[in-house]
Amino acid sequence: MLRVTMNDSAAGLLGVPGGPALPASPGGLASGLRERVAQGLVRRGEVLGWAVSTDGAERAPAPFHDLTGWECDRSSVHLEDFVPVEVVTVDHAPVIGDDGQRVLLLHGVALALEVVRLARALHPRGPVRCVVTANETSATFRFHQIRPGESWNAADLDGYAGDKVIVVDQGPFAALQEHPDVPGAAYDS
């Protein structure tokens, strides 16, 4: 089961206020993100991560509160570091316009679908969540396994004022249903 949810701000920017159809990322997935995907995912002990970033897995979740926090820290990618968008500096701070944020969100969703594909190939399989956020200063992608009682994001995605948020969940429908923090409608993959 694949579930895609987004806040109203992201849906409006992407032009999908009424349904699950998402436009493709322009030019396909950026080359640096393709390289990250090519390195793959691994499960080490109780944690899931990029194959190149699971050092210290035996100590997880330290120094974080839970395994989800550890995974989100280790899987975090600043999309603007990989996707060519215009970033201007205003008062010593980066500013990314709506067009750039839209491109970054699309690349983030494309990356999420690749992570879902990689996670499906792991054994044992488990539900995984990808979280993509964009605002006027940055865009971030991260993922974690879905676990009872743990979540990186709040259930009310519209509560993220100023941020565009997209959550992509993959897993057996029963596993996703067990987690009431997963908002939105479900779509079969």
Short mmCIF file of all heavy atoms in Angstrom, two decimals, residues 62-104:
data_model
loop_
_atom_site.label_atom_id
_atom_site.label_comp_id
_atom_site.label_asym_id
_atom_site.label_seq_id
_atom_site.Cartn_x
_atom_site.Cartn_y
_atom_site.Cartn_z
N ALA A 62 20.79 6.46 20.63
CA ALA A 62 21.63 7.53 21.18
C ALA A 62 22.20 8.38 20.06
O ALA A 62 22.63 7.85 19.05
CB ALA A 62 22.75 6.93 22.02
N PRO A 63 22.20 9.65 20.14
CA PRO A 63 21.76 10.52 21.22
C PRO A 63 20.30 10.97 21.09
O PRO A 63 19.90 11.94 21.72
CB PRO A 63 22.69 11.72 21.10
CG PRO A 63 22.85 11.86 19.61
CD PRO A 63 22.87 10.42 19.09
N PHE A 64 19.51 10.30 20.29
CA PHE A 64 18.14 10.70 20.03
C PHE A 64 17.16 10.01 20.96
O PHE A 64 17.45 8.97 21.56
CB PHE A 64 17.78 10.42 18.56
CG PHE A 64 18.68 11.16 17.62
CD1 PHE A 64 19.82 10.57 17.11
CD2 PHE A 64 18.42 12.47 17.30
CE1 PHE A 64 20.67 11.27 16.27
CE2 PHE A 64 19.26 13.19 16.47
CZ PHE A 64 20.39 12.58 15.95
N HIS A 65 15.97 10.57 21.05
CA HIS A 65 14.93 10.05 21.93
C HIS A 65 14.46 8.66 21.51
O HIS A 65 14.15 7.84 22.36
CB HIS A 65 13.75 11.04 21.94
CG HIS A 65 12.58 10.58 22.72
ND1 HIS A 65 12.59 10.47 24.09
CD2 HIS A 65 11.36 10.16 22.32
CE1 HIS A 65 11.43 10.04 24.51
NE2 HIS A 65 10.66 9.84 23.45
N ASP A 66 14.42 8.40 20.20
CA ASP A 66 13.92 7.12 19.72
C ASP A 66 14.59 6.75 18.40
O ASP A 66 15.37 7.51 17.85
CB ASP A 66 12.39 7.13 19.59
CG ASP A 66 11.87 8.24 18.68
OD1 ASP A 66 12.61 8.68 17.77
OD2 ASP A 66 10.71 8.65 18.87
N LEU A 67 14.30 5.56 17.91
CA LEU A 67 14.89 5.08 16.66
C LEU A 67 14.47 5.92 15.46
O LEU A 67 15.25 6.13 14.52
CB LEU A 67 14.53 3.61 16.44
CG LEU A 67 15.10 2.63 17.46
CD1 LEU A 67 14.53 1.24 17.24
CD2 LEU A 67 16.61 2.61 17.43
N THR A 68 13.24 6.41 15.48
CA THR A 68 12.76 7.26 14.39
C THR A 68 13.61 8.52 14.28
O THR A 68 14.00 8.92 13.18
CB THR A 68 11.27 7.60 14.61
OG1 THR A 68 10.52 6.38 14.53
CG2 THR A 68 10.76 8.59 13.59
N GLY A 69 13.92 9.15 15.40
CA GLY A 69 14.78 10.33 15.38
C GLY A 69 16.16 10.03 14.84
O GLY A 69 16.72 10.81 14.06
N TRP A 70 16.72 8.88 15.22
CA TRP A 70 18.03 8.48 14.72
C TRP A 70 17.98 8.32 13.20
O TRP A 70 18.85 8.82 12.49
CB TRP A 70 18.47 7.18 15.39
CG TRP A 70 19.89 6.81 15.13
CD1 TRP A 70 20.97 7.11 15.89
CD2 TRP A 70 20.39 6.04 14.03
NE1 TRP A 70 22.12 6.58 15.34
CE2 TRP A 70 21.78 5.92 14.18
CE3 TRP A 70 19.80 5.44 12.92
CZ2 TRP A 70 22.58 5.25 13.28
CZ3 TRP A 70 20.60 4.77 12.01
CH2 TRP A 70 21.98 4.67 12.20
N GLU A 71 16.97 7.58 12.73
CA GLU A 71 16.86 7.34 11.28
C GLU A 71 16.66 8.64 10.51
O GLU A 71 17.27 8.84 9.45
CB GLU A 71 15.70 6.38 10.98
CG GLU A 71 16.00 4.96 11.39
CD GLU A 71 14.79 4.05 11.26
OE1 GLU A 71 13.63 4.54 11.28
OE2 GLU A 71 15.02 2.84 11.16
N CYS A 72 15.82 9.53 11.02
CA CYS A 72 15.57 10.80 10.33
C CYS A 72 16.82 11.65 10.26
O CYS A 72 17.10 12.29 9.25
CB CYS A 72 14.41 11.54 10.97
SG CYS A 72 12.81 10.82 10.57
N ASP A 73 17.59 11.66 11.34
CA ASP A 73 18.85 12.40 11.32
C ASP A 73 19.81 11.84 10.28
O ASP A 73 20.42 12.57 9.50
CB ASP A 73 19.49 12.37 12.71
CG ASP A 73 20.83 13.08 12.72
OD1 ASP A 73 20.84 14.32 12.61
OD2 ASP A 73 21.87 12.39 12.83
N ARG A 74 19.95 10.53 10.25
CA ARG A 74 20.91 9.88 9.35
C ARG A 74 20.46 9.87 7.89
O ARG A 74 21.29 9.78 7.00
CB ARG A 74 21.19 8.46 9.82
CG ARG A 74 21.90 8.38 11.14
CD ARG A 74 23.27 9.07 11.06
NE ARG A 74 23.99 9.02 12.29
CZ ARG A 74 24.95 8.14 12.57
NH1 ARG A 74 25.28 7.23 11.69
NH2 ARG A 74 25.56 8.18 13.73
N SER A 75 19.15 9.93 7.65
CA SER A 75 18.67 9.87 6.27
C SER A 75 18.42 11.25 5.67
O SER A 75 18.12 11.37 4.50
CB SER A 75 17.37 9.04 6.19
OG SER A 75 16.30 9.71 6.84
N SER A 76 18.58 12.29 6.47
CA SER A 76 18.25 13.65 6.04
C SER A 76 19.13 14.11 4.87
O SER A 76 20.35 13.94 4.89
CB SER A 76 18.42 14.61 7.21
OG SER A 76 18.09 15.92 6.83
N VAL A 77 18.47 14.69 3.88
CA VAL A 77 19.14 15.23 2.69
C VAL A 77 18.58 16.62 2.43
O VAL A 77 17.36 16.79 2.36
CB VAL A 77 18.89 14.33 1.46
CG1 VAL A 77 19.43 14.97 0.19
CG2 VAL A 77 19.48 12.94 1.65
N HIS A 78 19.44 17.62 2.31
CA HIS A 78 18.99 18.95 1.88
C HIS A 78 18.91 18.93 0.36
O HIS A 78 19.93 18.87 -0.33
CB HIS A 78 19.95 20.04 2.37
CG HIS A 78 19.65 20.47 3.76
ND1 HIS A 78 18.73 21.45 4.04
CD2 HIS A 78 20.10 20.02 4.95
CE1 HIS A 78 18.64 21.60 5.34
NE2 HIS A 78 19.46 20.73 5.92
N LEU A 79 17.70 18.96 -0.14
CA LEU A 79 17.46 18.80 -1.57
C LEU A 79 18.11 19.91 -2.39
O LEU A 79 18.58 19.67 -3.51
CB LEU A 79 15.96 18.71 -1.85
CG LEU A 79 15.28 17.48 -1.25
CD1 LEU A 79 13.76 17.61 -1.32
CD2 LEU A 79 15.75 16.21 -1.95
N GLU A 80 18.16 21.12 -1.86
CA GLU A 80 18.75 22.23 -2.61
C GLU A 80 20.25 22.03 -2.82
O GLU A 80 20.85 22.70 -3.67
CB GLU A 80 18.44 23.57 -1.94
CG GLU A 80 19.15 23.84 -0.64
CD GLU A 80 18.45 23.24 0.59
OE1 GLU A 80 17.50 22.45 0.44
OE2 GLU A 80 18.89 23.56 1.70
N ASP A 81 20.87 21.12 -2.08
CA ASP A 81 22.28 20.81 -2.31
C ASP A 81 22.47 19.93 -3.54
O ASP A 81 23.60 19.80 -4.05
CB ASP A 81 22.88 20.09 -1.09
CG ASP A 81 22.99 20.99 0.13
OD1 ASP A 81 22.93 22.23 -0.02
OD2 ASP A 81 23.12 20.44 1.24
N PHE A 82 21.41 19.30 -4.02
CA PHE A 82 21.50 18.35 -5.14
C PHE A 82 20.72 18.79 -6.37
O PHE A 82 21.00 18.32 -7.47
CB PHE A 82 20.97 16.97 -4.70
CG PHE A 82 21.79 16.33 -3.63
CD1 PHE A 82 21.48 16.52 -2.29
CD2 PHE A 82 22.89 15.56 -3.95
CE1 PHE A 82 22.23 15.93 -1.30
CE2 PHE A 82 23.65 14.97 -2.96
CZ PHE A 82 23.33 15.16 -1.63
N VAL A 83 19.71 19.61 -6.18
CA VAL A 83 18.81 20.00 -7.27
C VAL A 83 19.09 21.46 -7.61
O VAL A 83 19.03 22.33 -6.74
CB VAL A 83 17.33 19.82 -6.85
CG1 VAL A 83 16.40 20.24 -7.98
CG2 VAL A 83 17.06 18.38 -6.43
N PRO A 84 19.39 21.74 -8.89
CA PRO A 84 19.69 23.12 -9.26
C PRO A 84 18.44 24.00 -9.25
O PRO A 84 17.57 23.87 -10.11
CB PRO A 84 20.29 23.00 -10.67
CG PRO A 84 19.76 21.71 -11.20
CD PRO A 84 19.51 20.82 -10.02
N VAL A 85 18.33 24.84 -8.23
CA VAL A 85 17.26 25.84 -8.15
C VAL A 85 17.90 27.16 -7.79
O VAL A 85 19.00 27.21 -7.23
CB VAL A 85 16.18 25.47 -7.10
CG1 VAL A 85 15.43 24.21 -7.51
CG2 VAL A 85 16.77 25.32 -5.72
N GLU A 86 17.20 28.22 -8.08
CA GLU A 86 17.72 29.55 -7.76
C GLU A 86 17.56 29.81 -6.27
O GLU A 86 16.46 29.72 -5.72
CB GLU A 86 16.98 30.63 -8.55
CG GLU A 86 17.52 32.01 -8.28
CD GLU A 86 16.81 33.10 -9.07
OE1 GLU A 86 15.81 32.81 -9.74
OE2 GLU A 86 17.28 34.25 -9.00
N VAL A 87 18.67 30.10 -5.62
CA VAL A 87 18.68 30.48 -4.21
C VAL A 87 19.38 31.83 -4.15
O VAL A 87 20.54 31.95 -4.51
CB VAL A 87 19.44 29.45 -3.34
CG1 VAL A 87 19.42 29.87 -1.88
CG2 VAL A 87 18.84 28.06 -3.51
N VAL A 88 18.64 32.84 -3.71
CA VAL A 88 19.22 34.17 -3.57
C VAL A 88 19.44 34.45 -2.09
O VAL A 88 18.83 33.81 -1.23
CB VAL A 88 18.31 35.26 -4.21
CG1 VAL A 88 18.19 35.05 -5.71
CG2 VAL A 88 16.96 35.32 -3.55
N THR A 89 20.31 35.38 -1.80
CA THR A 89 20.59 35.75 -0.42
C THR A 89 19.97 37.11 -0.14
O THR A 89 20.23 38.08 -0.85
CB THR A 89 22.10 35.79 -0.15
OG1 THR A 89 22.64 34.50 -0.45
CG2 THR A 89 22.40 36.13 1.30
N VAL A 90 19.14 37.16 0.89
CA VAL A 90 18.51 38.40 1.32
C VAL A 90 18.78 38.55 2.81
O VAL A 90 18.43 37.65 3.60
CB VAL A 90 16.99 38.39 1.04
CG1 VAL A 90 16.33 39.65 1.56
CG2 VAL A 90 16.71 38.20 -0.45
N ASP A 91 19.40 39.63 3.20
CA ASP A 91 19.75 39.86 4.61
C ASP A 91 20.51 38.68 5.19
O ASP A 91 20.20 38.20 6.27
CB ASP A 91 18.51 40.17 5.44
CG ASP A 91 17.83 41.47 5.04
OD1 ASP A 91 18.56 42.39 4.61
OD2 ASP A 91 16.59 41.56 5.16
N HIS A 92 21.47 38.17 4.44
CA HIS A 92 22.35 37.08 4.86
C HIS A 92 21.63 35.75 5.04
O HIS A 92 22.14 34.86 5.73
CB HIS A 92 23.10 37.45 6.15
CG HIS A 92 23.85 38.73 6.05
ND1 HIS A 92 24.98 38.88 5.29
CD2 HIS A 92 23.61 39.94 6.61
CE1 HIS A 92 25.41 40.13 5.37
NE2 HIS A 92 24.60 40.79 6.16
N ALA A 93 20.45 35.61 4.46
CA ALA A 93 19.69 34.35 4.57
C ALA A 93 19.30 33.88 3.17
O ALA A 93 18.98 34.69 2.30
CB ALA A 93 18.44 34.55 5.41
N PRO A 94 19.31 32.56 2.94
CA PRO A 94 18.91 32.03 1.64
C PRO A 94 17.40 32.20 1.44
O PRO A 94 16.63 32.10 2.40
CB PRO A 94 19.29 30.56 1.72
CG PRO A 94 19.26 30.24 3.17
CD PRO A 94 19.67 31.51 3.88
N VAL A 95 17.01 32.45 0.20
CA VAL A 95 15.59 32.56 -0.15
C VAL A 95 15.36 31.75 -1.42
O VAL A 95 16.04 31.94 -2.43
CB VAL A 95 15.16 34.02 -0.37
CG1 VAL A 95 13.71 34.10 -0.83
CG2 VAL A 95 15.37 34.85 0.89
N ILE A 96 14.40 30.83 -1.33
CA ILE A 96 13.99 30.00 -2.48
C ILE A 96 12.56 30.36 -2.80
O ILE A 96 11.67 30.24 -1.95
CB ILE A 96 14.11 28.50 -2.14
CG1 ILE A 96 15.54 28.15 -1.71
CG2 ILE A 96 13.67 27.65 -3.33
CD1 ILE A 96 15.69 26.76 -1.12
N GLY A 97 12.31 30.79 -4.04
CA GLY A 97 10.97 31.17 -4.46
C GLY A 97 10.06 29.97 -4.64
O GLY A 97 10.47 28.81 -4.56
N ASP A 98 8.79 30.27 -4.93
CA ASP A 98 7.80 29.21 -5.11
C ASP A 98 8.18 28.24 -6.23
O ASP A 98 8.00 27.03 -6.08
CB ASP A 98 6.41 29.80 -5.40
CG ASP A 98 5.75 30.35 -4.15
OD1 ASP A 98 6.22 30.08 -3.04
OD2 ASP A 98 4.72 31.05 -4.30
N ASP A 99 8.70 28.75 -7.34
CA ASP A 99 9.10 27.85 -8.44
C ASP A 99 10.18 26.88 -7.99
O ASP A 99 10.13 25.69 -8.29
CB ASP A 99 9.58 28.65 -9.65
CG ASP A 99 8.46 29.39 -10.36
OD1 ASP A 99 7.27 29.05 -10.14
OD2 ASP A 99 8.77 30.33 -11.13
N GLY A 100 11.16 27.37 -7.26
CA GLY A 100 12.22 26.50 -6.74
C GLY A 100 11.70 25.50 -5.73
O GLY A 100 12.07 24.32 -5.75
N GLN A 101 10.80 25.95 -4.85
CA GLN A 101 10.22 25.04 -3.86
C GLN A 101 9.42 23.93 -4.56
O GLN A 101 9.46 22.77 -4.13
CB GLN A 101 9.32 25.80 -2.89
CG GLN A 101 10.09 26.71 -1.95
CD GLN A 101 9.17 27.50 -1.07
OE1 GLN A 101 8.34 26.93 -0.37
NE2 GLN A 101 9.29 28.83 -1.09
N ARG A 102 8.70 24.29 -5.62
CA ARG A 102 7.93 23.29 -6.36
C ARG A 102 8.86 22.23 -6.95
O ARG A 102 8.62 21.03 -6.82
CB ARG A 102 7.13 23.97 -7.48
CG ARG A 102 6.27 23.03 -8.28
CD ARG A 102 5.49 23.81 -9.36
NE ARG A 102 4.51 22.97 -9.98
CZ ARG A 102 4.77 22.07 -10.92
NH1 ARG A 102 6.02 21.89 -11.35
NH2 ARG A 102 3.82 21.34 -11.43
N VAL A 103 9.95 22.66 -7.58
CA VAL A 103 10.92 21.72 -8.16
C VAL A 103 11.51 20.83 -7.07
O VAL A 103 11.63 19.61 -7.23
CB VAL A 103 12.02 22.49 -8.93
CG1 VAL A 103 13.19 21.58 -9.28
CG2 VAL A 103 11.46 23.14 -10.18
N LEU A 104 11.85 21.41 -5.93
CA LEU A 104 12.44 20.64 -4.83
C LEU A 104 11.44 19.62 -4.28
O LEU A 104 11.81 18.47 -3.99
CB LEU A 104 12.93 21.57 -3.72
CG LEU A 104 14.12 22.44 -4.12
CD1 LEU A 104 14.36 23.54 -3.09
CD2 LEU A 104 15.37 21.61 -4.34
#
